[in-house]
């Protein structure tokens, strides 16, 4: 029974879940907008640079001087060059990536006016340097490095791309109809007005900045920070303002600690100096707030207390990709370098993580300040290098194990705060993936092609999904892992037995689960892996059929789909026969299903292969019959044993039109002595209608769903049992078969 106190708690629990659901839906909608999808994709594209730069930055700033001091001058210079070539240019790479992706989205969602994504990059770069204003690039490192230029990159890429997109949609073009044969030149020429308009707007912005007394965005940003962040007479409030402001700036892409460096050189520096002097004099350190205090208890692992986030992801996260990124980021995050995590998830301008990223350090700061004020932890009175790993830095800073315990406690609090948002992030990411996969599936089912591809030519997020799946599918095909076969029985109701089974390919992706078969086939075709995939299906199906034959005898067959490209292989018949011999399967127990395009083909090799296979005893059937334009003449002249009526004609309720089509196909095939299998049979009423039209062989969920090889064997064995026959006889009487 539920106690009264428990009853009172249930509405509160329901309310919490309702709030959680509303937050999830709201954040999901925000994260699905074009801007945030482009932003996430662009940051991930910069991720490799960030990882490399972070590793070498940690080596250069390793806290043990005995290690870093042993580096030769030439080696140190090399490491600095690597950091400068990664961290030092990451902002420009981010700018180019964002503007390019905005250009891709323009072509996908615009008014039909195409514009090269590279043009978006060129305009963004121009606007970026217009606002910076340093023609000699003497301060290049200030705007190109992660420490100072991220916010400018976000602002310029977003605004310039948006303006260019709108101007193109507003038909701000030069008329170039009939301007010549060089189409690329025509396209660029026509877009000059839109490009000029964007550049003039940024020129106007620069003029307004100059009139306001600022020479570049960096100065304007610093002025805004100084105007809003002021010291307080209260040391606690000063630290609170610092932590909150630093986190808020980082969320918007501004390196908070760098931007608030005046805290380091004034308040923090004065406080630690006073503490050190007090200890030397044998007194008590007077100041809790120091840079070391912030680093140990509010920014463990880096801004956002990201060490807590990594632990929360490893404990609660279900997305294997994010877990791998987190484990990789952990290598440098323990040294308080968290840029790989900021750009790998990403965290910057990520609406899902805005609340914990900003508020977690604020809360842990308050907890640590209270604990120190209460005397539970010694006041920090020593300077520790900023890359000293977590736990070590708290012990070295406080000189006490209580400092370590406090750091463990605040990290644990951070883990608890981040955990529900990790769950939300996984759900949002999964929903976005499912939406992308549905568009990839629609492209796979369609007849259109983009740049010669069914799926890989897609742009936007669905293109990213397609390319990611294609990479994983190539690995699965090469290793013959994750791919497996299921089999759907075909039943002859007149004979009352199972006559065969269709082999169906399945792919169980290690992260995404089961991928739709049509997507698998389309991706394999796009990558030219379809032949390898088809031979894999053939080998697996014949091996399974051999097991069934050993158990039940050789009275039934397996049906395998062959793609049109296979019939261009001059040695197709030899490869098929080699597979049959290897598994000791008779040729007449293999049925190859072909499409109507193969049946109607006039290609010499395709027709020769069909005849060779048929002469060797292999059965040939036409799949999805009734959806194309196959002439009955081809059914008479080609070596076809059977047709399979497409499930779209039998699915659901059989209306008058479908019934007439099915009846005509069944009558004509009976007249030319052609075997027929009707697919998509799912209920007894449907089966009864098809029986009245003359159908005898069926395949569908009414009899069985697709089964694994072992399950199918049990199904066939059960079908032959006496009590099972009684069940099927009862069904037959119920439906009026007899």
């Amino acid at each position: 029974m539920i106690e009264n106190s428990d009853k009172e708690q249930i509405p509160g629990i329901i309310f919490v879940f309702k709030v959680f659901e509303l937050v999830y839906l709201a954040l999901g909608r925000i994260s699905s907008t074009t801007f945030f999808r482009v932003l996430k994709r662009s940051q991930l594209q910069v991720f490799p640079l960030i990882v490399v730069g972070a590793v070498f930055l940690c080596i250069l700033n390793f806290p043990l001087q005995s290690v870093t001091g042993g580096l030769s001058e030439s080696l140190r210079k090399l490491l600095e060059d690597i950091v400068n070539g990664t961290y030092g240019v990451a902002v420009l790479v981010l700018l180019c990536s964002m503007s390019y992706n905005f250009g891709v989205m323009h072509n996908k969602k615009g008014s039909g006016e195409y514009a090269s994504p590279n043009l978006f990059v060129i305009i963004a770069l121009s606007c970026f340097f217009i606002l910076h204003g340093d023609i000699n690039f003497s301060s290049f490192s200030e705007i190109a490095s992660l420490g100072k230029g991220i916010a400018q990159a976000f602002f310029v890429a977003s605004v310039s791309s948006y303006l260019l997109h709108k101007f193109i949609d507003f038909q701000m073009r030069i008329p170039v109809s009939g301007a010549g044969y060089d189409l690329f030149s025509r396209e660029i020429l026509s877009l000059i007005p839109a490009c000029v308009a964007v550049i003039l707007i940024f020129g106007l912005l620069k003029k307004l900045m100059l009139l306001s007394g600022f020479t570049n965005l960096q100065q304007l940003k610093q002025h805004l920070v100084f105007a809003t962040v002021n010291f307080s007479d209260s040391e606690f409030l000063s630290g609170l303002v610092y932590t909150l402001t630093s986190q808020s700036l980082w969320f918007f892409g501004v390196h908070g600690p760098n931007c608030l460096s005046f805290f380091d050189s004034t308040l923090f520096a004065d406080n630690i100096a006073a503490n050190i002097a007090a200890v030397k004099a044998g007194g008590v350190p007077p100041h809790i707030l120091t840079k070391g205090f912030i680093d140990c208890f509010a920014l463990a692992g880096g801004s956002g207390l990201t060490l807590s986030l990594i632990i929360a992801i490893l404990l609660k996260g279900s997305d294997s990709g994010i877990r791998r990124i987190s484990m990789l980021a952990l290598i440098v995050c323990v040294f308080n370098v968290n840029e790989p995590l900021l750009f790998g998830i990403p965290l910057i301008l990520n609406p899902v993580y805005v609340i914990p990223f900003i508020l977690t350090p604020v809360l842990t700061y308050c907890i640590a300040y209270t604990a120190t004020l209460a005397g539970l932890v010694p006041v920090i009175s020593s300077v520790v290098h900023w890359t000293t790993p977590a736990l070590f830095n708290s012990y070295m800073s406080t000189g006490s194990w209580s400092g370590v315990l406090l750091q463990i406690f605040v990290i644990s609090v951070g883990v608890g705060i981040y955990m529900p948002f990790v769950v939300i992030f996984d759900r949002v990411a999964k929903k976005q993936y499912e939406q992308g996969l549905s568009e990839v599936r629609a492209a796979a089912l369609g007849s259109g092609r983009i740049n010669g591809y069914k799926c890989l030519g897609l742009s936007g997020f669905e293109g990213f999904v397609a390319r990611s799946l294609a990479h994983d599918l190539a690995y699965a095909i090469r290793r013959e892992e994750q791919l497996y076969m299921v089999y759907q029985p075909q039943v002859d109701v007149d004979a009352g037995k199972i006559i065969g089974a269709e082999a169906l390919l399945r792919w169980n992706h290690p992260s995404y689960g089961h991928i739709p078969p049509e997507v698998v086939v389309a991706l394999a075709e796009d990558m030219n892996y379809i032949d390898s995939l088809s031979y894999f299906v053939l080998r697996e199906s014949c091996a399974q059929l051999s097991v069934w034959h050993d158990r039940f005898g050789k009275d039934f067959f397996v049906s395998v789909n062959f793609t049109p490209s296979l019939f261009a292989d001059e040695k197709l018949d030899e490869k098929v026969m080699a597979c049959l011999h290897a598994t000791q399967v008779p040729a007449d127990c293999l049925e190859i299903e072909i499409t109507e395009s193969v049946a109607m083909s006039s290609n010499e090799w395709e027709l020769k292969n069909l005849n060779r296979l048929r002469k060797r005893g292999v059965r040939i059937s036409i799949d999805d019959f009734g959806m194309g334009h196959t002439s009955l003449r081809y059914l008479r002249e080609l070596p076809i044993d059977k047709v399979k009526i497409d499930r779209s004609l039998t699915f659901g309720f059989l209306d008058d039109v479908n019934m007439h089509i099915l009846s005509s196909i069944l009558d004509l095939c009976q007249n030319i002595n052609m075997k027929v299998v009707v697919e998509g049979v799912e209920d007894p009423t449907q089966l009864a209608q098809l029986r009245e039209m003359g159908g005898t062989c069926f395949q569908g969920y009414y009899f069985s769903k697709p089964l694994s090889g072992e399950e199918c064997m049990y199904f066939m064995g059960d079908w032959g049992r006496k009590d099972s026959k009684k069940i099927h006889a009862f069904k037959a009487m119920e439906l009026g078969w007899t």
Side-chain angles (χ1 to χ4, degrees), residues 389-696:
L391 304 185
F392 290 98
N393 63 357
S394 58
Y395 180 79
M396 295 171 65
S397 297
T398 61
S400 170
W401 286 105
S402 61
V404 177
L405 292 176
L406 177 59
Q407 190 177 52
I408 292 174
F409 179 74
V410 296
I411 290 174
S412 301
V413 170
V415 172
I417 296 173
Y418 271 115
M419 269 190 175
F421 294 93
V422 168
V423 175
I424 292 177
F425 182 83
D426 284 346
R427 292 177 65 180
V428 170
K430 183 179 180 181
K431 184 176 180 180
Q432 290 178 348
Y433 161 78
E434 289 173 347
Q435 291 173 344
L437 181 61
S438 66
E439 296 189 40
V440 174
R441 183 172 182 266
L445 290 170
S447 58
R449 289 182 176 270
I450 302 174
N451 298 325
Y453 299 104
K454 295 196 73 172
C455 297
L456 292 183
L458 293 170
S459 61
F461 183 73
E462 57 270 24
F464 181 79
V465 171
R467 291 188 294 274
S468 177
L469 288 175
H471 176 272
D472 295 342
L473 178 60
Y475 174 86
I477 293 173
R478 289 194 300 267
R479 301 290 295 270
E480 295 193 354
E481 297 176 356
Q482 307 165 21
L483 301 169
Y484 66 97
M485 304 303 303
V486 293
Y487 305 88
Q488 189 169 35
Q490 296 179 1
V491 179
D492 186 332
V493 295
D494 280 357
K497 66 177 183 179
I498 299 173
I499 58 174
E502 180 182 5
L504 301 167
L505 177 69
R506 295 291 184 265
W507 180 22
N508 187 19
H509 192 283
S511 299
Y512 308 137
H514 288 89
I515 307 301
E518 53 271 18
V519 173
V520 178
V521 173
L523 290 175
E525 289 177 345
D526 284 351
M527 296 185 297
N528 294 321
Y529 274 108
I530 191 63
D531 290 358
S532 299
L533 194 62
S534 297
Y535 284 123
F536 167 80
V537 170
L538 177 64
R539 291 193 302 272
E540 292 292 307
S541 302
C542 289
Q544 183 61 63
L545 184 59
S546 178
V547 173
W548 293 341
H549 282 175
D550 291 341
R551 173 77 181 273
F552 302 111
K554 301 181 178 181
D555 292 336
F556 50 87
F557 62 89
V558 68
S559 180
V560 178
N561 289 276
F562 268 26
T563 60
S565 62
L566 276 179
F567 289 92
D569 187 349
E570 298 180 7
K571 297 183 178 180
L572 174 63
D573 60 324
E574 296 178 9
K575 293 178 180 179
V576 171
M577 297 309 298
C579 183
L580 292 172
H581 289 316
T583 54
Q584 297 183 337
V585 171
D588 61 353
C589 291
L590 173 65
E591 181 176 284
I592 292 177
E593 295 187 14
I594 63 173
T595 62
E596 293 191 25
S597 62
V598 175
M600 297 182 65
S601 174
S602 58
N603 183 282
E604 180 182 358
W605 276 112
E606 291 182 0
L607 298 178
K608 283 185 177 181
N609 274 321
L610 271 177
N611 285 293
R612 286 175 179 173
L613 288 169
R614 190 64 190 87
K615 287 179 180 178
R616 288 176 177 264
V618 177
R619 305 183 191 186
I620 307 294
S621 68
I622 297 181
D623 192 19
D624 296 338
F625 186 79
M627 292 303 295
H629 308 284
T630 304
S631 169
L632 291 179
R633 180 170 61 87
Y634 291 107
L635 300 183
R636 295 285 295 176
E637 295 179 356
L638 293 176
I640 305 297
D641 296 281
K642 182 191 297 182
V643 297
K644 295 185 70 177
I645 296 179
D646 185 78
R647 69 180 69 245
S648 63
L649 294 175
T650 61
F651 185 77
F653 177 73
L654 292 177
D655 56 24
D656 291 339
V657 175
N658 279 5
M659 289 182 67
H660 283 303
I661 294 174
L662 286 167
S663 180
S664 298
I665 293 174
L666 290 168
D667 289 343
L668 289 170
C669 288
Q670 185 177 9
N671 290 336
I672 61 175
N673 200 27
M674 180 72 65
K675 296 179 182 178
V676 181
V677 171
V678 183
E679 293 184 290
V681 180
E682 298 195 353
D683 60 68
T685 303
Q686 183 187 25
L687 180 61
Q689 289 178 303
L690 294 168
R691 288 286 291 124
E692 290 178 3
M693 296 180 205
T696 59

Side-chain angles (χ1 to χ4, degrees), residues 111-113 165-174 190 193-194:
S111 61
E113 295 286 346
H165 164 73
K166 287 300 181 182
F167 289 151
I168 294 173
D169 280 355
F170 291 157
Q171 300 295 315
M172 190 176 286
R173 285 172 170 261
I174 294 177
S190 69

Side-chain angles (χ1 to χ4, degrees), residues 4-248:
N4 288 334
S5 60
D6 294 330
K7 289 181 180 179
E8 292 175 359
Q9 291 176 0
I10 289 176
I13 295 173
I14 294 175
F15 175 76
V16 171
F17 276 102
K18 287 288 186 182
V19 172
F20 182 86
E21 189 69 21
L22 290 173
V23 171
Y24 157 70
L25 293 173
L27 294 177
R29 283 194 293 268
I30 296 172
S31 299
S32 298
T33 59
T34 298
F35 174 77
F36 286 107
R37 288 170 65 179
V38 167
L39 184 63
K40 179 180 179 180
R41 190 179 317 151
S42 303
Q43 291 186 72
L44 287 173
Q45 288 170 342
V46 184
F47 181 67
L49 283 182
I50 306 302
V51 172
V52 174
V55 170
F56 285 96
L57 185 66
C58 286
I59 295 174
L60 275 173
N61 293 277
F62 200 75
L64 296 178
Q65 293 300 315
S66 59
V67 176
T68 56
L71 296 176
S72 66
E73 191 62 32
S74 60
L75 180 57
R76 177 176 291 276
K77 180 64 169 61
L78 175 61
L79 296 180
E80 290 175 350
D81 288 343
I82 293 175
V83 172
N84 291 334
T86 51
Y87 264 41
V89 297
V91 164
L92 289 183
V93 176
L94 178 64
L95 175 79
C96 295
S97 178
M98 280 190 66
S99 50
Y100 182 88
N101 286 320
F102 275 123
V104 171
M105 297 304 293
H106 159 80
N107 292 325
K108 180 185 176 184
K109 296 186 176 181
S111 61
E113 295 286 346
Y114 177 83
S116 172
N118 292 322
L119 189 62
F120 283 76
V121 176
I122 295 169
I123 298 302
L125 281 170
S126 175
C127 294
F128 186 79
F129 287 112
I130 287 173
L131 289 186
H132 181 60
D134 185 2
I135 301 176
N136 297 318
F137 300 108
S138 59
S139 57
F140 179 80
S141 60
E142 292 187 3
I143 61 168
S145 66
L146 283 177
K148 299 183 178 179
I150 303 175
Q152 291 93 310
F154 287 151
F155 173 76
V156 173
S158 303
V159 175
S160 66
S161 298
Y162 175 80
L163 292 173
L164 187 58
H165 164 73
K166 287 300 181 182
F167 289 151
I168 294 173
D169 280 355
F170 291 157
Q171 300 295 315
M172 190 176 286
R173 285 172 170 261
I174 294 177
V176 291
S177 178
Y181 294 105
D182 190 340
L183 302 182
F184 184 74
S185 298
R186 291 175 57 190
E187 176 188 312
I188 298 300
L189 177 64
S190 69
L191 294 176
I192 287 178
C195 297
V196 171
V198 175
I199 291 174
L200 288 176
I201 289 176
F202 273 82
L204 179 60
L205 288 176
K206 179 58 182 291
K207 182 63 175 177
L208 292 175
M209 285 173 51
L210 292 173
L211 291 175
S212 302
F214 306 107
T215 59
N216 54 52
L217 278 178
Q218 185 75 7
Q219 289 184 357
L220 176 59
K221 179 184 67 177
Q222 290 284 3
H223 175 78
L224 293 175
V225 172
F226 292 158
T228 55
V229 179
N230 295 302
F231 292 113
S232 170
D233 293 335
S234 167
E235 186 175 284
F236 169 77
L237 290 179
S238 293
L240 189 65
V241 169
Y242 174 88
T243 305
L244 179 61
T245 306
S246 176
Q247 291 306 120
S248 302

